[in-house]
Amino acid sequence: MASNSAVIILLPFLLLLSPVAAHNITRILADFPDFSAFNQFLSQSSVAAEINRRQTITVLVVDNAAAAPLSSLDAETLKSVLSIHVILDYFDTYKIHNLRRRTTLFTTLYQTTGVAENNMGFLNFTHLPDDRLAFGSGVKGSPLTATYVKAVKAMPYNISVLQITGAVVPPGITDAPLAPFGAPITVAPEPLVPAPAPVDDSDADTPDADAPAADSPAPTADSPAPAADSPAPASGPAGDAPAPEEADEDDSSSAGRIAGSITAGLLTAVAGALML
Ligand SMILES: *[C@@H]1O[C@H](CO)[C@@H](O)[C@H](O)[C@H]1NC(C)=O
Ligand SMILES: *[C@@H]1O[C@H](CO)[C@@H](O)[C@H](O)[C@H]1NC(C)=O
Ligand SMILES: *[C@@H]1O[C@H](CO)[C@@H](O)[C@H](O)[C@H]1NC(C)=O
């Protein structure tokens, strides 16, 4: 009896606190036949359920042609690869075009699995000199292999869905040989006019090492990216685990995190009370 009344008293709180799925990635993508293959992969790998459980995320999707090679992956690798396409922060088209850093590492869902090694749980995001937004694996030395195509859906600040040209598959994620997943992005050899550094007020780029390197006729012509691309001083993801990226741009997500831990705390307390 005592515990019954506890439940009755607590029920409204439990209902209030239970995370109502505000979005359903399966349903969102169902409106876009171009992404039906990727949508199918998300469901079959159960990454879709994980996406729906989370808030403040960005899902990178690829069209059916670009998704086709994913079918060659075994189930476990597929799940890992898909998790790498879920960024644990909200980036809509405006935000992703206006990041202060030209290159940064995004933390992905795969990083939370605890099995990610060698920076595999991070995505390298690089705003190229020709203004394309490129993505690659966070594994050191891996090429950028995909670029931003368009925004598919934005539900601020819960979930953003962005299309990229191809899936990002980290080298070494599986021992099995991989189907080709997109050639490395080559950066236009002619850098743009030595633009008066548009938005870049950032601390990320070393102030003058940056400019000369970018504009010089690039002696190593075919290095995958403008070599000197700021070594991003000390932002090695190893350093401070969870969020190497844009700490000051995501008030929303830190608020979310705080709310999340408060919720978790309350639930623990409630669970404790019910045990009595
Ligand atoms: C999401 O939508 C799909 C398709 O409409 C549906 O089958 C599934 O049950 C939904 N998932 C949740 C958690 O509501
Ligand atoms: C992202 O990749 C490019 C090209 O490989 C590299 O120059 C850059 O340093 C990488 N960015 C980060 C933050 O690791
Ligand atoms: C985002 O999630 C919150 C909480 O679940 C919800 O109240 C809000 O309507 C959602 N926003 C959008 C644009 O769906």
Side-chain angles (χ1 to χ4, degrees):
M1 274 303 158
S3 64
N4 272 351
S5 54
V7 169
I8 290 162
I9 292 165
L10 289 169
L11 197 55
F13 292 100
L14 290 172
L15 290 177
L16 205 67
L17 292 170
S18 66
V20 181
H23 52 255
N24 179 333
I25 186 67
T26 311
R27 205 176 300 141
I28 290 172
L29 291 179
D31 290 341
F32 304 90
D34 277 357
F35 306 122
S36 60
F38 198 82
N39 198 9
Q40 174 72 34
F41 289 137
L42 287 176
S43 294
Q44 85 188 41
S45 64
S46 74
V47 172
E50 191 63 29
I51 290 171
N52 295 344
R53 286 205 309 116
R54 290 182 175 262
Q55 266 177 308
T56 321
I57 56 167
T58 302
V59 183
L60 303 177
V61 302
V62 301
D63 68 16
N64 293 339
L70 291 172
S71 61
S72 67
L73 302 177
D74 63 87
E76 193 193 338
T77 307
L78 176 65
K79 184 171 185 180
S80 306
V81 167
L82 293 171
S83 306
I84 289 167
H85 290 73
V86 183
I87 300 169
L88 302 184
D89 199 349
Y90 177 87
F91 294 105
D92 55 19
T93 185
Y94 175 81
K95 201 175 163 193
I96 203 153
H97 278 93
N98 291 281
L99 292 176
R100 285 186 305 122
R101 296 189 179 174
R102 282 195 304 127
T103 181
T104 189
L105 296 177
F106 290 152
T107 309
T108 74
L109 183 59
Y110 188 51
Q111 186 63 18
T112 66
T113 61
V115 300
E117 43 179 52
N118 200 16
N119 269 5
M120 269 183 208
F122 295 93
L123 273 180
N124 176 324
F125 167 82
T126 301
H127 199 148
L128 296 173
D130 63 11
D131 226 28
R132 282 179 301 170
L133 306 178
F135 295 85
S137 166
V139 172
K140 218 170 164 42
S142 44
L144 302 166
T145 53
T147 54
Y148 171 87
V149 178
K150 65 172 192 276
V152 175
K153 181 88 178 182
M155 298 169 71
Y157 295 89
N158 298 339
I159 183 170
S160 165
V161 181
L162 305 175
Q163 183 189 358
I164 59 173
T165 51
V168 174
V169 180
I173 196 157
T174 170
D175 295 334
L178 288 173
F181 275 103
I185 305 294
T186 47
V187 178
E190 305 296 323
L192 308 176
V193 194
V199 260
D200 225 354
D201 55 348
S202 100
D203 24 279
D205 302 314
T206 32
D208 19 42
D210 199 27
D215 310 328
S216 67
T220 53
D222 52 356
S223 65
D229 232 358
S230 63
S235 75
D240 45 37
E245 101 288 346
E246 298 298 305
D248 37 353
E249 296 211 22
D250 54 7
D251 316 310
S252 55
S253 64
S254 49
R257 256 175 245 132
I258 291 165
S261 49
I262 291 172
T263 307
L266 282 171
L267 283 177
T268 312
V270 167
L274 289 176
M275 300 289 271
L276 296 177

